[in-house]
Amino acid sequence: MKFLTSAAAVAAAAAALFSSVANGLSEDEMARLAQDRPSRTDSYIQKMDMALYGVSTQSGVDRSTWTVNADSSQSGYPPQYAIDSNISTIWESEQTPVMTQYPHNLTIDMKQNYFVTGVTYLPRQDGQLNGTVGQHIIELSTDGINWGKPAAFGTWYDDNELKTANFSTTQARYLRLRALSDSGNRVPYSSVADINVYTVPSYTAPNPAASGAFGSSIDFPTIMVAAAVLHGTGKVLAWSSWEFDQFLQSNSAGFTYTTTYDPASQSVSERIVVETGHDMFCPGLSLDSLGRPIVTGGNNAYKTSMYDPSTDAWTALAKMTVARGYQGQTTLSDGRIFTIGGSFNGGQFLKNGEVYDPKTNTWTYLSGCLVQPMLTADTAGLYRADNHGWLFGWRNDSVFQAGPSRNMNWYTMTGNGTQAAAGVRGNDADAMNGNAVMYDASQGLILAVGGAPDYDNSSATSNANIIQLGNPGTAPKVTQIANMKYPRAFANSVILPDGHVLILGGQTYAVTFTDTNAVLVPEIFNPTTLTFTPVASLASIRTYHSTALLLPDASVIIGGGGLCGNCTVNHFDAQIYYPPYFYNSAGGPSVRPVINSVSATTFAVGAKLTVTVNMAISRMTLMRYGSATHALDTDQRRVPLTTLSSSGTTYTVQIPNDTGVMIPGAWMLFAMVNGVPSVATTVMVTN
């Protein structure tokens, strides 16, 4: 789709975006970001098109026969103004003679059933923001009586730009927007300039027992570029940059827009973190030995920040010795944190490793942890060649680097640090924007998938390899397996409690800040057959700057993408994927075990744990809590536990006596019945 703007508008957009940009973006990236960037509102009529959603069969619906009702209306602002295709007219809920309070409901009868895939909401365009919908619920119904689960819910950002809610295709005649708050908490009434829907002409839902299913979409006020699952509560903490929708700036903003999603209350809240003086875009990220996110570098390239879920507080930590952005980072077997590379920001030079000690709040530069051996041959040079190392904490405080370079390496923290070559990743080439996950840490098994020779403007591969680690310093075993069904760069991989790996999103041809060549069909890797199976399709495109994480209920959250200002590829949403183990053969909910008690929720490696469950089970599994940015999650790993004894539904299991396998921190304990997991119990593993 082509958006029509004048040359002057393009020049103005480019000047606004790039007047103070540093960050060393390539000329090609700068050109893409400077392309046609009209206001989402100014191009509203044109954007009511499939390009907003990226699925070619979607189109707007004729609204001429629609009717609409509201629970209240202000005189002169009837609900019909919300569907009249005139963005200068608005509906407002009643203010006089009675000021009605939230929630406010607007219900639309589309007069026939459609297969609905998305909804757009346009706030008032008269220069005011009063009544702009913030917290909201979008519901669909075939009869106007039975509404079921929300199609979407969440919080929209406080501005007058077009808002979108994309969700899995749902048949409906009726649409209800429930406004729960003003986006700026200014007034108790609501306003709407326009509402529209998107549809497909036909749709057959896949069998969830085979393909899984996506649940409600979650609308975020920021873009989910980086995220961590918080232990204990299961909340998802996500953030973008110094702005809710872009990252370009002069590296001096010193604050970050964050969003917290609470699955328990299905609420979405926003917060601007100013207390650490840290713009946390393009950081290193990992969870420490207490399960706290440690965020390093990025737009403020020397900074280190920590978030403590127990106090809901951000704290500035010691600065790194080297300025970094897009570095690799992982937590070690002794709880320290290692980082290396990161020439995206802070200058382009050989950025050897350094290690953070949380006990002393100090960083130590490791001149012997050489970055040179792990560089890719990216055509953009060092600016890209040291980005996003695939790092795994292993035994004796060692780190294994599995990619993205085809050359693999071992690093240790001994003395000034050491580096040793670990061979090549089979027949694989450099795999920028691919990823790797440790799906069975007890066996040292890593799945490495996808990627492209160059970070940008490069064809992705569907390559897949199994890497099996032994002792630090020894060459791992690399086995090439059958390819994925789709080539992917910028995809996310998430380990599931049953040992399968879910791979979502990505592009067949890697181009940052675009949704072209997107892969909408996820696939699941089977560790027994070593094959990949396509599953239920995404509702939104997930490419560059998207993120996915395992949740304690064994579902997966996938969200984000974009972060390029007033562009058409910003994705202010997330969605929950429920893998096939949530469903029985008939497509109904599976019977899941329940953990009734655990003998200890904090224990050391090598401990024996007694767990009581409500039914007979086949296995217990530990999954480390995850954090991710730019499709890289070095925290997640899976450890299947050995059952020592059982009595009825009480089981004693052995925790591996290996800190390289059991990296200290917060873990999720799952009980499994023939591959069907319980909701997790959070435990803390110490070293």
PDB file of all heavy atoms in Angstrom, residues 136-166:
ATOM      1  N   HIS A 136      -9.358  -0.631  28.342  1.00  0.00           N
ATOM      2  CA  HIS A 136     -10.520  -0.989  27.542  1.00  0.00           C
ATOM      3  C   HIS A 136     -10.646  -2.497  27.410  1.00  0.00           C
ATOM      4  O   HIS A 136      -9.693  -3.244  27.651  1.00  0.00           O
ATOM      5  CB  HIS A 136     -10.406  -0.382  26.147  1.00  0.00           C
ATOM      6  CG  HIS A 136      -9.190  -0.878  25.415  1.00  0.00           C
ATOM      7  ND1 HIS A 136      -7.946  -0.323  25.585  1.00  0.00           N
ATOM      8  CD2 HIS A 136      -9.010  -1.917  24.530  1.00  0.00           C
ATOM      9  CE1 HIS A 136      -7.059  -0.965  24.845  1.00  0.00           C
ATOM     10  NE2 HIS A 136      -7.676  -1.944  24.200  1.00  0.00           N
ATOM     11  N   ILE A 137     -11.824  -2.921  26.992  1.00  0.00           N
ATOM     12  CA  ILE A 137     -12.106  -4.307  26.638  1.00  0.00           C
ATOM     13  C   ILE A 137     -12.900  -4.288  25.337  1.00  0.00           C
ATOM     14  O   ILE A 137     -13.850  -3.505  25.200  1.00  0.00           O
ATOM     15  CB  ILE A 137     -12.910  -5.036  27.731  1.00  0.00           C
ATOM     16  CG1 ILE A 137     -12.129  -5.069  29.050  1.00  0.00           C
ATOM     17  CG2 ILE A 137     -13.263  -6.455  27.290  1.00  0.00           C
ATOM     18  CD1 ILE A 137     -12.937  -5.617  30.219  1.00  0.00           C
ATOM     19  N   ILE A 138     -12.502  -5.132  24.385  1.00  0.00           N
ATOM     20  CA  ILE A 138     -13.231  -5.289  23.130  1.00  0.00           C
ATOM     21  C   ILE A 138     -13.828  -6.688  23.116  1.00  0.00           C
ATOM     22  O   ILE A 138     -13.108  -7.681  23.252  1.00  0.00           O
ATOM     23  CB  ILE A 138     -12.317  -5.073  21.921  1.00  0.00           C
ATOM     24  CG1 ILE A 138     -11.821  -3.614  21.890  1.00  0.00           C
ATOM     25  CG2 ILE A 138     -13.040  -5.415  20.623  1.00  0.00           C
ATOM     26  CD1 ILE A 138     -10.772  -3.352  20.849  1.00  0.00           C
ATOM     27  N   GLU A 139     -15.151  -6.738  22.955  1.00  0.00           N
ATOM     28  CA  GLU A 139     -15.862  -8.015  22.980  1.00  0.00           C
ATOM     29  C   GLU A 139     -16.638  -8.213  21.681  1.00  0.00           C
ATOM     30  O   GLU A 139     -17.087  -7.245  21.056  1.00  0.00           O
ATOM     31  CB  GLU A 139     -16.813  -8.059  24.174  1.00  0.00           C
ATOM     32  CG  GLU A 139     -16.095  -7.946  25.524  1.00  0.00           C
ATOM     33  CD  GLU A 139     -17.062  -7.726  26.670  1.00  0.00           C
ATOM     34  OE1 GLU A 139     -17.820  -6.744  26.629  1.00  0.00           O
ATOM     35  OE2 GLU A 139     -17.062  -8.552  27.601  1.00  0.00           O
ATOM     36  N   LEU A 140     -16.824  -9.465  21.307  1.00  0.00           N
ATOM     37  CA  LEU A 140     -17.552  -9.821  20.099  1.00  0.00           C
ATOM     38  C   LEU A 140     -18.623 -10.854  20.427  1.00  0.00           C
ATOM     39  O   LEU A 140     -18.463 -11.667  21.349  1.00  0.00           O
ATOM     40  CB  LEU A 140     -16.604 -10.384  19.046  1.00  0.00           C
ATOM     41  CG  LEU A 140     -15.496  -9.446  18.541  1.00  0.00           C
ATOM     42  CD1 LEU A 140     -14.519 -10.211  17.664  1.00  0.00           C
ATOM     43  CD2 LEU A 140     -16.072  -8.259  17.796  1.00  0.00           C
ATOM     44  N   SER A 141     -19.706 -10.825  19.643  1.00  0.00           N
ATOM     45  CA  SER A 141     -20.811 -11.745  19.894  1.00  0.00           C
ATOM     46  C   SER A 141     -21.570 -11.989  18.596  1.00  0.00           C
ATOM     47  O   SER A 141     -21.645 -11.109  17.728  1.00  0.00           O
ATOM     48  CB  SER A 141     -21.762 -11.152  20.945  1.00  0.00           C
ATOM     49  OG  SER A 141     -22.941 -11.931  21.067  1.00  0.00           O
ATOM     50  N   THR A 142     -22.144 -13.170  18.474  1.00  0.00           N
ATOM     51  CA  THR A 142     -22.997 -13.462  17.320  1.00  0.00           C
ATOM     52  C   THR A 142     -24.449 -13.085  17.583  1.00  0.00           C
ATOM     53  O   THR A 142     -25.221 -12.907  16.630  1.00  0.00           O
ATOM     54  CB  THR A 142     -22.935 -14.952  16.959  1.00  0.00           C
ATOM     55  OG1 THR A 142     -23.305 -15.732  18.105  1.00  0.00           O
ATOM     56  CG2 THR A 142     -21.534 -15.332  16.495  1.00  0.00           C
ATOM     57  N   ASP A 143     -24.840 -12.934  18.862  1.00  0.00           N
ATOM     58  CA  ASP A 143     -26.247 -12.664  19.177  1.00  0.00           C
ATOM     59  C   ASP A 143     -26.474 -11.428  20.044  1.00  0.00           C
ATOM     60  O   ASP A 143     -27.626 -11.083  20.339  1.00  0.00           O
ATOM     61  CB  ASP A 143     -26.886 -13.881  19.850  1.00  0.00           C
ATOM     62  CG  ASP A 143     -26.187 -14.289  21.143  1.00  0.00           C
ATOM     63  OD1 ASP A 143     -25.329 -13.520  21.653  1.00  0.00           O
ATOM     64  OD2 ASP A 143     -26.478 -15.386  21.657  1.00  0.00           O
ATOM     65  N   GLY A 144     -25.396 -10.770  20.482  1.00  0.00           N
ATOM     66  CA  GLY A 144     -25.547  -9.591  21.326  1.00  0.00           C
ATOM     67  C   GLY A 144     -25.860  -9.910  22.766  1.00  0.00           C
ATOM     68  O   GLY A 144     -26.074  -8.992  23.573  1.00  0.00           O
ATOM     69  N   ILE A 145     -25.881 -11.195  23.103  1.00  0.00           N
ATOM     70  CA  ILE A 145     -26.192 -11.612  24.478  1.00  0.00           C
ATOM     71  C   ILE A 145     -24.999 -12.340  25.093  1.00  0.00           C
ATOM     72  O   ILE A 145     -24.574 -12.022  26.208  1.00  0.00           O
ATOM     73  CB  ILE A 145     -27.439 -12.527  24.489  1.00  0.00           C
ATOM     74  CG1 ILE A 145     -28.654 -11.772  23.945  1.00  0.00           C
ATOM     75  CG2 ILE A 145     -27.705 -13.046  25.904  1.00  0.00           C
ATOM     76  CD1 ILE A 145     -29.869 -12.663  23.721  1.00  0.00           C
ATOM     77  N   ASN A 146     -24.487 -13.308  24.368  1.00  0.00           N
ATOM     78  CA  ASN A 146     -23.355 -14.098  24.851  1.00  0.00           C
ATOM     79  C   ASN A 146     -22.067 -13.529  24.265  1.00  0.00           C
ATOM     80  O   ASN A 146     -21.857 -13.585  23.041  1.00  0.00           O
ATOM     81  CB  ASN A 146     -23.539 -15.559  24.454  1.00  0.00           C
ATOM     82  CG  ASN A 146     -24.812 -16.155  25.017  1.00  0.00           C
ATOM     83  OD1 ASN A 146     -24.961 -16.273  26.231  1.00  0.00           O
ATOM     84  ND2 ASN A 146     -25.749 -16.513  24.141  1.00  0.00           N
ATOM     85  N   TRP A 147     -21.204 -13.011  25.130  1.00  0.00           N
ATOM     86  CA  TRP A 147     -20.004 -12.300  24.682  1.00  0.00           C
ATOM     87  C   TRP A 147     -18.726 -13.120  24.811  1.00  0.00           C
ATOM     88  O   TRP A 147     -17.753 -12.884  24.111  1.00  0.00           O
ATOM     89  CB  TRP A 147     -19.866 -10.972  25.435  1.00  0.00           C
ATOM     90  CG  TRP A 147     -20.982 -10.027  25.107  1.00  0.00           C
ATOM     91  CD1 TRP A 147     -22.161  -9.876  25.778  1.00  0.00           C
ATOM     92  CD2 TRP A 147     -21.040  -9.150  23.988  1.00  0.00           C
ATOM     93  NE1 TRP A 147     -22.954  -8.935  25.162  1.00  0.00           N
ATOM     94  CE2 TRP A 147     -22.288  -8.464  24.058  1.00  0.00           C
ATOM     95  CE3 TRP A 147     -20.179  -8.843  22.944  1.00  0.00           C
ATOM     96  CZ2 TRP A 147     -22.678  -7.512  23.120  1.00  0.00           C
ATOM     97  CZ3 TRP A 147     -20.560  -7.893  22.009  1.00  0.00           C
ATOM     98  CH2 TRP A 147     -21.797  -7.248  22.090  1.00  0.00           C
ATOM     99  N   GLY A 148     -18.681 -14.070  25.707  1.00  0.00           N
ATOM    100  CA  GLY A 148     -17.482 -14.903  25.838  1.00  0.00           C
ATOM    101  C   GLY A 148     -16.278 -14.112  26.313  1.00  0.00           C
ATOM    102  O   GLY A 148     -16.385 -13.014  26.875  1.00  0.00           O
ATOM    103  N   LYS A 149     -15.086 -14.665  26.054  1.00  0.00           N
ATOM    104  CA  LYS A 149     -13.858 -13.994  26.456  1.00  0.00           C
ATOM    105  C   LYS A 149     -13.591 -12.790  25.557  1.00  0.00           C
ATOM    106  O   LYS A 149     -13.979 -12.777  24.390  1.00  0.00           O
ATOM    107  CB  LYS A 149     -12.678 -14.964  26.392  1.00  0.00           C
ATOM    108  CG  LYS A 149     -12.750 -16.105  27.401  1.00  0.00           C
ATOM    109  CD  LYS A 149     -11.519 -17.000  27.301  1.00  0.00           C
ATOM    110  CE  LYS A 149     -11.583 -18.118  28.327  1.00  0.00           C
ATOM    111  NZ  LYS A 149     -10.383 -19.017  28.244  1.00  0.00           N
ATOM    112  N   PRO A 150     -12.920 -11.764  26.086  1.00  0.00           N
ATOM    113  CA  PRO A 150     -12.632 -10.594  25.253  1.00  0.00           C
ATOM    114  C   PRO A 150     -11.792 -10.966  24.036  1.00  0.00           C
ATOM    115  O   PRO A 150     -10.926 -11.840  24.098  1.00  0.00           O
ATOM    116  CB  PRO A 150     -11.846  -9.674  26.192  1.00  0.00           C
ATOM    117  CG  PRO A 150     -12.201 -10.117  27.572  1.00  0.00           C
ATOM    118  CD  PRO A 150     -12.440 -11.596  27.477  1.00  0.00           C
ATOM    119  N   ALA A 151     -12.061 -10.295  22.919  1.00  0.00           N
ATOM    120  CA  ALA A 151     -11.176 -10.424  21.768  1.00  0.00           C
ATOM    121  C   ALA A 151      -9.869  -9.709  22.035  1.00  0.00           C
ATOM    122  O   ALA A 151      -8.803 -10.141  21.598  1.00  0.00           O
ATOM    123  CB  ALA A 151     -11.843  -9.852  20.519  1.00  0.00           C
ATOM    124  N   ALA A 152      -9.961  -8.591  22.755  1.00  0.00           N
ATOM    125  CA  ALA A 152      -8.773  -7.815  23.101  1.00  0.00           C
ATOM    126  C   ALA A 152      -9.068  -7.000  24.346  1.00  0.00           C
ATOM    127  O   ALA A 152     -10.227  -6.663  24.633  1.00  0.00           O
ATOM    128  CB  ALA A 152      -8.361  -6.898  21.958  1.00  0.00           C
ATOM    129  N   PHE A 153      -8.013  -6.689  25.091  1.00  0.00           N
ATOM    130  CA  PHE A 153      -8.121  -5.815  26.245  1.00  0.00           C
ATOM    131  C   PHE A 153      -6.763  -5.184  26.475  1.00  0.00           C
ATOM    132  O   PHE A 153      -5.760  -5.578  25.873  1.00  0.00           O
ATOM    133  CB  PHE A 153      -8.573  -6.583  27.494  1.00  0.00           C
ATOM    134  CG  PHE A 153      -7.601  -7.646  27.949  1.00  0.00           C
ATOM    135  CD1 PHE A 153      -6.569  -7.349  28.835  1.00  0.00           C
ATOM    136  CD2 PHE A 153      -7.716  -8.950  27.498  1.00  0.00           C
ATOM    137  CE1 PHE A 153      -5.669  -8.324  29.247  1.00  0.00           C
ATOM    138  CE2 PHE A 153      -6.820  -9.934  27.902  1.00  0.00           C
ATOM    139  CZ  PHE A 153      -5.803  -9.620  28.779  1.00  0.00           C
ATOM    140  N   GLY A 154      -6.726  -4.192  27.331  1.00  0.00           N
ATOM    141  CA  GLY A 154      -5.443  -3.570  27.648  1.00  0.00           C
ATOM    142  C   GLY A 154      -5.558  -2.085  27.835  1.00  0.00           C
ATOM    143  O   GLY A 154      -6.607  -1.563  28.262  1.00  0.00           O
ATOM    144  N   THR A 155      -4.483  -1.367  27.501  1.00  0.00           N
ATOM    145  CA  THR A 155      -4.407   0.078  27.689  1.00  0.00           C
ATOM    146  C   THR A 155      -3.786   0.709  26.458  1.00  0.00           C
ATOM    147  O   THR A 155      -2.724   0.274  25.999  1.00  0.00           O
ATOM    148  CB  THR A 155      -3.540   0.421  28.925  1.00  0.00           C
ATOM    149  OG1 THR A 155      -4.129  -0.167  30.090  1.00  0.00           O
ATOM    150  CG2 THR A 155      -3.445   1.929  29.129  1.00  0.00           C
ATOM    151  N   TRP A 156      -4.449   1.738  25.922  1.00  0.00           N
ATOM    152  CA  TRP A 156      -3.904   2.486  24.799  1.00  0.00           C
ATOM    153  C   TRP A 156      -3.160   3.723  25.283  1.00  0.00           C
ATOM    154  O   TRP A 156      -3.503   4.303  26.322  1.00  0.00           O
ATOM    155  CB  TRP A 156      -5.025   2.905  23.845  1.00  0.00           C
ATOM    156  CG  TRP A 156      -5.535   1.799  22.973  1.00  0.00           C
ATOM    157  CD1 TRP A 156      -4.793   0.870  22.305  1.00  0.00           C
ATOM    158  CD2 TRP A 156      -6.910   1.502  22.659  1.00  0.00           C
ATOM    159  NE1 TRP A 156      -5.608   0.020  21.593  1.00  0.00           N
ATOM    160  CE2 TRP A 156      -6.906   0.387  21.794  1.00  0.00           C
ATOM    161  CE3 TRP A 156      -8.130   2.076  23.024  1.00  0.00           C
ATOM    162  CZ2 TRP A 156      -8.089  -0.171  21.292  1.00  0.00           C
ATOM    163  CZ3 TRP A 156      -9.298   1.531  22.519  1.00  0.00           C
ATOM    164  CH2 TRP A 156      -9.283   0.424  21.663  1.00  0.00           C
ATOM    165  N   TYR A 157      -2.169   4.124  24.505  1.00  0.00           N
ATOM    166  CA  TYR A 157      -1.356   5.290  24.845  1.00  0.00           C
ATOM    167  C   TYR A 157      -2.191   6.571  24.754  1.00  0.00           C
ATOM    168  O   TYR A 157      -3.130   6.678  23.964  1.00  0.00           O
ATOM    169  CB  TYR A 157      -0.139   5.376  23.921  1.00  0.00           C
ATOM    170  CG  TYR A 157       0.816   6.488  24.284  1.00  0.00           C
ATOM    171  CD1 TYR A 157       1.646   6.364  25.397  1.00  0.00           C
ATOM    172  CD2 TYR A 157       0.868   7.658  23.536  1.00  0.00           C
ATOM    173  CE1 TYR A 157       2.517   7.380  25.737  1.00  0.00           C
ATOM    174  CE2 TYR A 157       1.738   8.683  23.877  1.00  0.00           C
ATOM    175  CZ  TYR A 157       2.561   8.542  24.989  1.00  0.00           C
ATOM    176  OH  TYR A 157       3.417   9.550  25.339  1.00  0.00           O
ATOM    177  N   ASP A 158      -1.793   7.560  25.545  1.00  0.00           N
ATOM    178  CA  ASP A 158      -2.538   8.813  25.663  1.00  0.00           C
ATOM    179  C   ASP A 158      -2.166   9.792  24.547  1.00  0.00           C
ATOM    180  O   ASP A 158      -1.365  10.710  24.740  1.00  0.00           O
ATOM    181  CB  ASP A 158      -2.256   9.434  27.043  1.00  0.00           C
ATOM    182  CG  ASP A 158      -3.066  10.702  27.278  1.00  0.00           C
ATOM    183  OD1 ASP A 158      -4.168  10.804  26.724  1.00  0.00           O
ATOM    184  OD2 ASP A 158      -2.579  11.586  28.029  1.00  0.00           O
ATOM    185  N   ASP A 159      -2.729   9.580  23.370  1.00  0.00           N
ATOM    186  CA  ASP A 159      -2.610  10.552  22.285  1.00  0.00           C
ATOM    187  C   ASP A 159      -3.803  10.380  21.359  1.00  0.00           C
ATOM    188  O   ASP A 159      -4.693   9.563  21.617  1.00  0.00           O
ATOM    189  CB  ASP A 159      -1.281  10.421  21.535  1.00  0.00           C
ATOM    190  CG  ASP A 159      -1.113   9.106  20.788  1.00  0.00           C
ATOM    191  OD1 ASP A 159      -2.111   8.355  20.659  1.00  0.00           O
ATOM    192  OD2 ASP A 159       0.007   8.809  20.344  1.00  0.00           O
ATOM    193  N   ASN A 160      -3.865  11.183  20.284  1.00  0.00           N
ATOM    194  CA  ASN A 160      -5.029  11.128  19.402  1.00  0.00           C
ATOM    195  C   ASN A 160      -4.778  10.304  18.147  1.00  0.00           C
ATOM    196  O   ASN A 160      -5.518  10.414  17.179  1.00  0.00           O
ATOM    197  CB  ASN A 160      -5.475  12.544  19.019  1.00  0.00           C
ATOM    198  CG  ASN A 160      -4.460  13.252  18.129  1.00  0.00           C
ATOM    199  OD1 ASN A 160      -3.359  12.749  17.912  1.00  0.00           O
ATOM    200  ND2 ASN A 160      -4.827  14.418  17.623  1.00  0.00           N
ATOM    201  N   GLU A 161      -3.746   9.470  18.167  1.00  0.00           N
ATOM    202  CA  GLU A 161      -3.441   8.636  17.016  1.00  0.00           C
ATOM    203  C   GLU A 161      -4.377   7.427  16.949  1.00  0.00           C
ATOM    204  O   GLU A 161      -4.986   7.012  17.938  1.00  0.00           O
ATOM    205  CB  GLU A 161      -1.987   8.159  17.079  1.00  0.00           C
ATOM    206  CG  GLU A 161      -0.953   9.270  17.085  1.00  0.00           C
ATOM    207  CD  GLU A 161      -0.763   9.905  15.710  1.00  0.00           C
ATOM    208  OE1 GLU A 161      -1.433   9.467  14.748  1.00  0.00           O
ATOM    209  OE2 GLU A 161       0.050  10.823  15.606  1.00  0.00           O
ATOM    210  N   LEU A 162      -4.471   6.875  15.748  1.00  0.00           N
ATOM    211  CA  LEU A 162      -5.300   5.701  15.524  1.00  0.00           C
ATOM    212  C   LEU A 162      -4.820   4.528  16.386  1.00  0.00           C
ATOM    213  O   LEU A 162      -3.635   4.226  16.436  1.00  0.00           O
ATOM    214  CB  LEU A 162      -5.231   5.313  14.051  1.00  0.00           C
ATOM    215  CG  LEU A 162      -6.057   4.104  13.605  1.00  0.00           C
ATOM    216  CD1 LEU A 162      -7.546   4.412  13.690  1.00  0.00           C
ATOM    217  CD2 LEU A 162      -5.670   3.708  12.181  1.00  0.00           C
ATOM    218  N   LYS A 163      -5.743   3.875  17.068  1.00  0.00           N
ATOM    219  CA  LYS A 163      -5.441   2.695  17.887  1.00  0.00           C
ATOM    220  C   LYS A 163      -5.938   1.447  17.158  1.00  0.00           C
ATOM    221  O   LYS A 163      -6.982   1.470  16.509  1.00  0.00           O
ATOM    222  CB  LYS A 163      -6.121   2.769  19.254  1.00  0.00           C
ATOM    223  CG  LYS A 163      -6.045   4.130  19.943  1.00  0.00           C
ATOM    224  CD  LYS A 163      -4.637   4.557  20.254  1.00  0.00           C
ATOM    225  CE  LYS A 163      -4.642   5.905  20.978  1.00  0.00           C
ATOM    226  NZ  LYS A 163      -3.274   6.438  21.145  1.00  0.00           N
ATOM    227  N   THR A 164      -5.198   0.370  17.298  1.00  0.00           N
ATOM    228  CA  THR A 164      -5.586  -0.876  16.649  1.00  0.00           C
ATOM    229  C   THR A 164      -5.610  -2.014  17.657  1.00  0.00           C
ATOM    230  O   THR A 164      -4.859  -2.015  18.634  1.00  0.00           O
ATOM    231  CB  THR A 164      -4.625  -1.246  15.514  1.00  0.00           C
ATOM    232  OG1 THR A 164      -3.357  -1.602  16.068  1.00  0.00           O
ATOM    233  CG2 THR A 164      -4.426  -0.088  14.549  1.00  0.00           C
ATOM    234  N   ALA A 165      -6.479  -2.956  17.393  1.00  0.00           N
ATOM    235  CA  ALA A 165      -6.514  -4.205  18.158  1.00  0.00           C
ATOM    236  C   ALA A 165      -6.659  -5.338  17.156  1.00  0.00           C
ATOM    237  O   ALA A 165      -7.702  -5.478  16.511  1.00  0.00           O
ATOM    238  CB  ALA A 165      -7.670  -4.204  19.151  1.00  0.00           C
ATOM    239  N   ASN A 166      -5.599  -6.107  16.975  1.00  0.00           N
ATOM    240  CA  ASN A 166      -5.614  -7.280  16.104  1.00  0.00           C
ATOM    241  C   ASN A 166      -5.807  -8.524  16.959  1.00  0.00           C
ATOM    242  O   ASN A 166      -5.229  -8.622  18.042  1.00  0.00           O
ATOM    243  CB  ASN A 166      -4.303  -7.412  15.340  1.00  0.00           C
ATOM    244  CG  ASN A 166      -4.010  -6.207  14.481  1.00  0.00           C
ATOM    245  OD1 ASN A 166      -4.916  -5.562  14.003  1.00  0.00           O
ATOM    246  ND2 ASN A 166      -2.744  -5.906  14.302  1.00  0.00           N
TER     247      ASN A 166
END
